[in-house]
Amino acid sequence: MKLIFLGPPGAGKGTLAVRAVDILKIPHISTGAIFRSAIAAKSPLGLKVKAIIEGGHLVDDQTTIALVKERLAQEDAQNGYILDGFPRTVPQAEALAGFSPVDRVVNFDIPDSAVLERLSGRRVCRNCGTNYHITFNKPKQEKVCDTCGGEVYTRDDDREEAVAKRLEVYREQTAPLIDYYRKKGILIDVDARPLVDEVVANFKKALGV
Ligand code: ADP
Ligand code: ADP
Ligand code: ZN
């Protein structure tokens, strides 16, 4: 199954994706995570996108599309995948339709107030990318990753100014994809407000798995 997870920053896409990987046995592909590891590695891609991402802006379509096209050509993505954070613009959606049309688009339904609470408390492992939350999902030991012992930190783009920009960019450039995919008849709405286990149950029910 080829899936897109669509929703505002902080909706819980990455968190649900980790659970959905176990259920569906397909890889989780997050463009944000790929960009963050490129930044950490100081690769040419990382150097190019660092300031853009930290300011809460979108990386240009050409760069992002090329990256996803290359990733989806790999062996592990041939039987399906979860695309988390891509597409984020109509041109990205159109490019994807040309090289790998998806089966379903999961729309994370959540109000801005909940998103702000999730983003302000989000913490991430610098080493393995595992997500935490200072209220809803704390690491056992403060600032230490349960999975790998890495440093748990606040993403630069989860600071207040960048968050405001990201929500504005989401409304203007990404939210139109909800109607775009609804018109194609492949959109599924999932209530993303409850606790993670309940969101997982909503997701399974909506997808019929
Ligand atoms: P979140 O889920 O919190 O929105 P992501 O990890 O998906 O964050 O993305 C982090 C940042 O990486 C985005 O704010 C944007 O700068 C960049 N990015 C990720 N995916 C894309 C994309 N499809 N197009 C352009 N920029 C992207
Ligand atoms: P996204 O990938 O959509 O940007 P994340 O999965 O990173 O969102 O979740 C954002 C923050 O909210 C993280 O700190 C995560 O631990 C927390 N979170 C995710 N889902 C829930 C939920 N259902 N209830 C409470 N907190 C959640
Ligand atoms: Zn870790």
Side-chain angles (χ1 to χ4, degrees):
M1 189 157 14
K2 297 180 174 175
L3 293 179
I4 291 169
F5 280 8
L6 183 64
K13 302 180 297 295
T15 303
L16 179 62
V18 170
R19 301 283 295 267
V21 163
D22 271 347
I23 299 166
L24 301 170
K25 313 290 178 207
I26 49 177
H28 168 208
I29 299 171
S30 157
T31 41
I34 297 171
F35 287 137
R36 280 186 292 282
S37 50
I39 292 171
K42 299 193 165 69
S43 71
L45 175 67
L47 296 174
K48 177 163 139 186
V49 302
K50 186 175 193 295
I52 298 170
I53 290 180
E54 286 173 3
H57 301 271
L58 291 184
V59 176
D60 68 278
D61 284 338
Q62 204 192 345
T63 302
T64 310
I65 291 165
L67 180 87
V68 171
K69 193 172 180 186
E70 195 185 309
R71 179 63 188 86
L72 294 188
Q74 287 174 23
E75 189 61 40
D76 67 333
Q78 300 318 303
N79 291 323
Y81 50 73
I82 297 165
L83 266 181
D84 164 11
F86 181 94
R88 262 179 155 92
T89 65
V90 171
Q92 290 180 12
E94 287 183 338
L96 181 66
F99 60 78
S100 187
V102 299
D103 302 304
R104 290 277 184 277
V105 178
V106 180
N107 179 40
F108 285 63
D109 213 356
I110 189 160
D112 277 3
S113 55
V115 151
L116 288 171
E117 190 181 26
R118 288 184 187 182
L119 287 177
S120 62
R122 172 159 64 186
R123 302 291 182 269
V124 181
C125 174
R126 220 184 259 287
N127 182 48
C128 74
T130 298
N131 261 331
Y132 296 94
H133 191 283
I134 52 166
T135 312
F136 305 124
N137 176 26
K138 287 190 223 176
K140 291 196 181 73
Q141 201 184 329
E142 208 190 324
K143 297 187 183 166
V144 180
C145 178
D146 294 347
T147 320
C148 78
E151 182 207 354
V152 171
Y153 81 116
T154 305
R155 278 167 46 175
D156 288 308
D157 61 345
D158 280 346
R159 295 175 200 287
E160 221 172 297
E161 319 77 59
V163 164
K165 184 72 207 168
R166 286 160 69 210
L167 287 175
E168 179 192 322
V169 167
Y170 173 77
R171 270 184 222 107
E172 283 174 7
Q173 304 213 51
T174 309
L177 293 177
I178 299 173
D179 267 350
Y180 175 93
Y181 285 119
R182 206 184 295 284
K183 285 196 184 109
K184 291 189 188 290
I186 57 172
L187 194 86
I188 299 171
D189 291 297
V190 167
D191 182 359
R193 290 170 303 175
L195 294 174
V196 179
D197 284 343
E198 202 177 327
V199 178
V200 172
N202 291 345
F203 166 77
K204 288 172 74 174
K205 196 170 156 203
L207 210 61
V209 296

